[in-house]
Amino acid sequence: MAIKDWPDGEGPRDKLLHLGAGHLSDAELLAVLLRNGIAGQNAVDLARDMIGQFGGLRALFCAPRSQVCQLSGVGPVKYAQLQAASEISKRISQENLRRGQILVNPDLTRDYLMRQLADRSYEVFALLLLDSQHRVIQFVELFRGTINSASVYPREVVSLVLEKKAAAVIVCHNHPSGIAEPSQADRQITDRLKKALSTIDVSLLDHMVVGDQEIVSFAERGWIN
């Protein structure tokens, strides 16, 4: 049955307007973005199929265009709608982070880093550069590829910190395997960076490792002294 033929208030758009977006299922939210379905499927049915084939919303939104457009009834227009919604979400998260005090609201930091790094298919090593009151100056992706003690250059980190006049730093990187547990190499990198930053009187506040479902904080484990 087409959504327009559903009882009043039952369609996803009506539910959103009357009850709020939080009352919608994943498929209903996606249906609002898609706006319409295809022959034989309304927008909600199409959304359920899309989510089912990718295993979840995040996997769907992060999938390459070639894979998404292979789905029946999904072309460049619907793919563009998904990508626009995903990017808006990331930018809102970034705006919220820049307004917040990182150490007062660690959940905001975790949410931001999860959005930025969790779905990368390659390793990214990045910095959150902070001012003296621990407000964000900039998020910078510094290195890509295999992250180990040989590939992360402390002098480049120090140079960037000096250029941006940062007073403190949170370093972070992702594990494409989805497992956030830090490796021995991660701990070695952290020790090297802490020593290098101490020479310019800049604090290394944390090293966060981003997995598929969680983030491990070195500071919370007592590994940054």
Side-chain angles (χ1 to χ4, degrees), residues 14-158:
D14 288 341
K15 285 178 66 176
L16 187 150
L17 293 174
H18 289 95
L19 300 176
H23 286 80
L24 272 64
S25 67
D26 289 350
E28 288 172 328
L29 286 171
L30 182 56
V32 173
L33 285 178
L34 297 175
R35 299 180 59 188
N36 49 59
I38 59 176
Q41 281 189 312
N42 60 46
V44 175
D45 291 335
L46 176 60
R48 287 196 188 104
D49 280 355
M50 293 171 67
I51 294 170
Q53 290 194 50
F54 282 91
L57 281 175
R58 189 168 62 180
L60 170 63
F61 275 77
C62 294
R65 175 178 173 178
S66 58
Q67 291 184 18
V68 176
C69 290
Q70 284 180 353
L71 298 174
S72 177
V74 181
V77 173
K78 283 187 169 55
Y79 175 77
Q81 291 169 333
L82 298 183
Q83 290 302 298
S86 178
E87 184 61 26
I88 287 171
S89 176
K90 288 180 180 179
R91 294 187 187 189
I92 290 172
S93 177
Q94 189 170 28
E95 285 183 10
N96 289 338
L97 183 64
R98 284 177 174 167
R99 293 189 184 117
Q101 296 282 340
I102 282 188
L103 296 185
V104 174
N105 196 343
D107 289 340
L108 197 61
T109 308
R110 288 176 181 274
D111 178 68
Y112 175 74
L113 293 179
M114 187 67 75
R115 291 174 187 267
Q116 293 296 321
L117 299 176
D119 299 299
R120 304 292 185 96
S121 60
Y122 50 86
E123 285 189 83
V124 176
F125 184 90
L127 307 178
L128 274 170
L129 302 173
L130 314 175
D131 66 14
S132 59
Q133 296 183 12
H134 297 162
R135 294 174 300 205
V136 176
I137 298 172
Q138 190 174 350
F139 174 79
V140 182
E141 294 185 13
L142 204 54
F143 307 113
R144 292 185 178 187
T146 302
I147 305 302
N148 55 45
S149 57
S151 62
V152 175
Y153 303 103
R155 65 178 178 274
E156 294 189 27
V157 173
V158 168

Side-chain angles (χ1 to χ4, degrees), residues 189-209:
I189 290 168
T190 307
D191 290 341
R192 292 175 63 212
L193 290 176
K194 182 175 176 59
K195 290 176 182 177
L197 290 169
S198 68
T199 64
I200 57 171
D201 198 27
V202 170
S203 300
L204 178 61
L205 300 180
D206 205 348
H207 183 169
M208 292 185 164
V209 183

